[in-house]
Amino acid sequence: MKKQELIRVSTKGMAREAWLEARRGSLGGSDAAAVLGLNPYASPYSVWAEKTGRVPDRPDNEAMRLGRDLEDYVAVRWQEMTGKKARRVHAMLYNPAIPFAHANIDRRVVGENAGLECKTTSVLNLKQFKGGEYPDSYYAQCLHYMAVTGAARWYLAVLVMNKGLFCFTVERDEAEISALLRQEEAFWRLVESDTPPKLDGAPATEEALRGMYSGGGAAIELTGQEALFERYAALTAKKGDTEAELAQLKQVLMEKMGNAEGATCGDWSVSWKTQTRRSLDVEALQRVFPELAPFYRSTESRVLRIAKKSKREAKPQ
């Protein structure tokens, strides 16, 4: 690994909030797959919304915490299985030739121009790894790290919970790295110009839109969007293979409405209001005298409803 060519920003003692703020300034390894549309948990739009500060970074969850806590274990097991040595890198790495990217790698491999990525995944994914395969998102992340560091290869160690550790080697491929960097650079231009990527129907995109627009605005007129509504109605009638396009059209409406809670377009009307759902919190009920009073858990979400006016409603007064 050509350390002398890299800019190192130490992460020793860095608070998680500060680390999250630092990574917002460029694309990291976990962003690479999302930019390519290969990440099931993030999309180009959701990454753009995070990098431009429109939504907070994805909240920590149990899977992310487990991955961090087991990283050392995965690295130790990889060393046992391969006979190689790997050391932690307490820094964010930047390559001056790639200003839109950074690398926050798990380990560098001693005596090689190589690094190590440690993963932890569910037993539900066992079949894939036993077949000698791994997700495209992992591959994109390894390519990204090789692009930033100049490494000749990247090792991948995947712990499938309670079932085994699977080891892979990703060799440097200049054509693949060039293709990835072109895509990342084009995406970063969208961030710098504050231009949103295309809405793609991905769940992460819808989640980002909900985070960006909390509601409370007055109803608006969506002039000239009749074709969108007609297409939505046609797809709703078909369903099946059209689910992704339906989701994309809903996202277009969400983006155009912003904080408006209602909109009209010719014979069409849209409602996107926050609703509160109350459900029984069984755990709380069991803890505190269940015979005295019910305990409710409330959640709020904006629900998008699309409807076409009846002929009577549409008739001019």
Side-chain angles (χ1 to χ4, degrees), residues 135-310:
D136 291 337
S137 58
Y138 291 5
Y139 179 68
Q141 189 167 0
C142 292
L143 283 183
H144 178 92
Y145 290 151
M146 285 187 278
V148 173
T149 64
R153 68 185 56 83
W154 215 263
Y155 296 103
L156 175 63
V158 184
L159 174 66
V160 178
M161 294 298 292
N162 299 324
K163 291 298 179 181
L165 186 80
F166 298 86
C167 302
F168 306 91
T169 302
V170 181
E171 297 291 345
R172 186 180 183 91
D173 185 314
E174 295 297 344
E176 296 270 71
I177 288 175
S178 294
L180 172 64
L181 291 180
R182 285 196 298 272
Q183 191 76 11
E184 290 188 4
E185 185 175 21
F187 175 85
W188 197 251
R189 285 198 292 269
L190 298 180
V191 174
E192 293 181 323
S193 64
D194 205 32
T195 304
K198 181 181 177 181
L199 298 168
D200 52 14
T205 298
E206 184 164 330
E207 183 179 353
L209 286 165
R210 293 184 185 279
M212 289 164 58
Y213 304 117
S214 57
I220 60 175
E221 173 68 30
L222 294 176
T223 304
Q225 299 299 313
E226 289 84 359
L228 188 152
F229 284 96
E230 295 296 344
R231 180 61 178 162
Y232 184 89
L235 291 173
T236 302
K238 293 181 180 179
K239 287 286 187 178
D241 295 336
T242 62
E243 293 288 348
E245 190 174 353
L246 276 170
Q248 182 185 18
L249 293 176
K250 284 176 62 178
Q251 291 167 9
V252 172
L253 289 175
M254 287 175 170
E255 185 177 51
K256 290 183 179 300
M257 289 178 67
N259 285 316
E261 293 196 341
T264 58
C265 179
D267 294 341
W268 294 90
S269 64
V270 190
S271 170
W272 191 19
K273 296 181 179 180
T274 301
Q275 294 185 347
T276 300
R277 178 182 178 184
R278 301 181 71 201
S279 58
L280 190 65
D281 190 334
V282 178
E283 293 180 0
L285 192 64
Q286 291 174 340
R287 287 196 301 268
V288 187
F289 304 108
E291 71 275 12
L292 294 181
F295 289 76
Y296 290 96
R297 180 186 290 125
S298 297
T299 57
E300 290 188 349
S301 62
R302 289 184 73 189
V303 180
L304 188 73
R305 301 186 188 281
I306 302 171
K308 193 169 187 178
K309 301 174 185 176
S310 66

Side-chain angles (χ1 to χ4, degrees), residues 16 23 30-31 39 41-42 46-47 50 56-60 64:
R16 182 165 176 77
R23 71 183 298 276
S30 60
D31 299 319
N39 190 331
Y41 307 108
S46 70
V47 173
E50 289 175 8
D57 291 276
R58 279 163 280 176
D60 210 11
M64 295 165 66

